[in-house]
Amino acid sequence: MGNEEVKEFKLNYLPDFTKDGDILEYTIKIIEDDEVIAGEFVYIQLKSRVILTLEPSMELFSNLSSIRVTVENTSPSEFKGNLESVAPEGWEVDGKLPVTLAPSEKRTYELPIIKKTPKPFNEYEFGFILKDDSGTAIINSKRLLDFQVIVQNTGTISLDGFDGDISDWSNAYPIHLGVPENYESPDDLRNADVAARAFMKWDNDYYYVLVDVYDDNFTQNFDGNQIWRNDSVQVAFDSFAKALYKEYDDDDNAYTFSLTKDKKLLTYCGWRALVDGVKVPAGPVSGDWFRVIRNNEKRITRYLIKIPAKELSPMVFKENSQFKFNIAVNDSDVEDREGYCEYSYGIVVEKDPSSYKTFILKRFEKHEVDLSDSTVELDLK
């Protein structure tokens, strides 16, 4: 190469394994006269040529008759293979079927449930094995089932005296944030850099959110409208599920919850829907809306949030009402936000309620379950 000459090289390498999520480490060296004069580490995360997604359910456990799995062929060639599902303990699913996808095709398959057994907190884990037509496993992994279902509350959920015990929430339905790509067991969620599990309930007077954040520590160095920059939880609502574009509009509500740097509870309203046709400005919210409990040994920060129904106007609180909802968790270990996870896009990077997922309010449903079988921590003692 001549002086100040720039050349571009293309390096081709086909690894002998293609496990989804694996990270390959390469060392690129420039050698002159048998001496290394420059070097660089390059990390590549492998993506499968086929992507498998376990779709969320919008049914109560009693009405759950199938699970839906979406398979996407990301390659430029046809994919032919077979899918097999591994059901949770006490379940049986008709989950063996052939899969044929054209290049870039995405298809959703419905797998009938033959037998099911309720679990505490409706936490269900499914395994999936997808093999190509040569019998090679392209995907062999587990997925957690999310529920975009919010069950009615019939008791009393009090902030006063909340000590972290959530036994009364065992009939609620979970959504999961920040699940590691190579998830294998609940420990993978607990040990993630930042991950969360959330449950919601409702009644005529309140919308309740219970969030377990898995993180090394709790850090908050800010106050007021800056608390999102450190450890915090953000929720956002599109009351009529009608958003077709980015930015909030007149039926949206957004709130952030955290302890301040002075260890005070702060609810900050980032956007408020019109109230009787009048725009309510953003700012701190008066009133007692939540509690936070931290257990460093278990790496859990548990939020119990209780939003007055009147503050979510024009949202309709009755059975089968649908709306769009999103939740985000911000993570900071030292000074500023270093990471985050959110259920869907649209809170952290930019405000985009059109990307939120649709949730539905459902009636109360009682579960007879053995709480000793729970994979969710019942308390933080």
Side-chain angles (χ1 to χ4, degrees):
M1 295 176 61
N3 187 32
E4 297 186 359
E5 182 182 1
V6 176
K7 283 189 177 181
E8 183 177 297
F9 297 88
K10 182 177 181 181
L11 304 178
N12 295 316
Y13 175 68
L14 181 64
D16 57 3
F17 57 91
T18 55
K19 185 179 178 183
D20 191 17
D22 275 341
I23 297 178
L24 304 182
E25 177 184 320
Y26 295 95
T27 303
I28 299 177
K29 299 178 181 179
I30 299 176
I31 301 174
E32 183 178 32
D33 297 330
D34 296 326
E35 182 180 347
V36 177
I37 61 174
E40 185 75 34
F41 288 106
V42 177
Y43 298 92
I44 299 175
Q45 184 170 18
L46 297 178
K47 294 293 184 181
S48 175
R49 59 193 177 102
V50 179
I51 297 174
L52 184 147
T53 304
L54 176 59
E55 298 293 345
S57 173
M58 292 187 69
E59 296 289 349
L60 293 169
F61 176 84
S62 58
N63 296 329
L64 189 63
S65 60
S66 64
I67 59 171
R68 295 181 305 118
V69 178
T70 298
V71 184
E72 179 181 2
N73 178 12
T74 64
S75 74
S77 58
E78 182 183 61
F79 175 83
K80 286 187 176 182
N82 293 280
L83 175 65
E84 179 180 351
S85 66
V86 181
E89 182 179 355
W91 287 53
E92 186 178 346
V93 174
D94 184 4
K96 291 185 178 181
L97 72 162
V99 174
T100 300
L101 297 170
S104 302
E105 182 183 5
K106 179 191 295 187
R107 185 178 299 175
T108 299
Y109 299 88
E110 192 161 336
L111 310 181
I113 296 172
I114 300 169
K115 176 186 175 183
K116 59 187 179 182
T117 303
K119 292 281 189 179
F121 301 95
N122 290 291
E123 190 80 350
Y124 307 112
E125 178 185 283
F126 291 82
F128 295 96
I129 303 171
L130 181 64
K131 297 180 179 180
D132 62 19
D133 53 5
S134 72
T136 301
I138 302 298
I139 293 175
N140 186 354
S141 60
K142 296 180 179 179
R143 301 287 191 274
L144 291 165
L145 180 60
D146 289 326
F147 288 86
Q148 289 167 197
V149 171
I150 302 173
V151 70
Q152 186 177 22
N153 174 57
T154 58
T156 300
I157 297 178
S158 176
L159 297 178
D160 293 333
F162 177 65
D163 61 1
D165 189 322
I166 58 170
S167 302
D168 290 343
W169 282 75
S170 65
N171 71 325
Y173 291 85
I175 57 174
H176 305 86
L177 294 72
V179 179
E181 200 151 348
N182 287 329
Y183 174 88
E184 291 293 335
S185 74
D187 284 341
D188 292 330
L189 195 66
R190 297 187 188 101
N191 296 326
D193 183 46
V194 57
R197 178 193 287 113
F199 304 90
M200 282 73 69
K201 288 189 175 186
W202 70 281
D203 56 32
N204 291 333
D205 300 314
Y206 293 97
Y207 184 93
Y208 307 91
V209 186
L210 177 70
V211 190
D212 275 355
V213 178
Y214 298 97
D215 184 22
D216 287 331
N217 54 59
F218 182 90
T219 301
Q220 183 56 260
N221 299 309
F222 294 92
D223 203 344
N225 65 353
Q226 297 297 302
I227 57 175
W228 61 268
R229 295 174 61 178
N230 279 177
D231 289 4
S232 54
V233 167
Q234 295 179 273
V235 298
F237 303 79
D238 175 20
S239 297
F240 296 145
K242 66 179 180 62
L244 299 176
Y245 52 86
K246 300 176 182 179
E247 299 185 359
Y248 294 138
D249 61 21
D250 293 343
D251 70 326
D252 299 334
N253 291 284
Y255 298 95
T256 304
F257 302 88
S258 185
L259 295 174
T260 67
K261 60 183 180 181
D262 299 323
K263 306 303 180 186
K264 296 179 181 178
L265 297 166
L266 174 63
T267 301
Y268 191 88
C269 174
W271 185 271
R272 184 73 167 86
L274 293 181
V275 178
D276 297 327
V278 178
K279 177 62 183 172
V280 178
V285 173
S286 61
D288 195 12
W289 282 25
F290 74 108
R291 293 289 183 273
V292 179
I293 293 180
R294 172 68 190 180
N295 185 305
N296 287 325
E297 183 179 348
K298 295 184 177 180
R299 301 181 73 251
I300 297 177
T301 306
R302 178 164 285 170
Y303 294 75
L304 176 61
I305 299 169
K306 185 176 179 180
I307 306 176
K310 63 182 181 180
E311 298 292 337
L312 294 177
S313 171
M315 186 170 151
V316 178
F317 282 73
K318 68 178 183 179
E319 185 180 350
N320 293 323
S321 288
Q322 295 190 24
F323 59 97
K324 284 189 174 184
F325 175 71
N326 197 8
I327 181 169
V329 168
N330 299 306
D331 174 42
S332 173
D333 293 330
V334 184
E335 294 182 358
D336 216 329
R337 181 169 66 189
E338 297 153 4
Y340 68 90
C341 55
E342 55 186 341
Y343 184 61
S344 62
Y345 183 78
I347 290 182
V348 177
V349 176
E350 61 180 339
K351 308 310 179 187
D352 183 7
S354 67
S355 296
Y356 298 171
K357 302 299 183 182
T358 299
F359 285 71
I360 186 168
L361 302 182
K362 288 289 189 177
R363 59 176 170 78
F364 169 78
E365 183 179 62
K366 185 176 181 180
H367 280 179
E368 297 293 339
V369 294
D370 182 1
L371 290 180
S372 66
D373 192 31
S374 174
T375 57
V376 177
E377 291 79 1
L378 297 176
D379 61 60
L380 298 186
K381 297 177 182 178

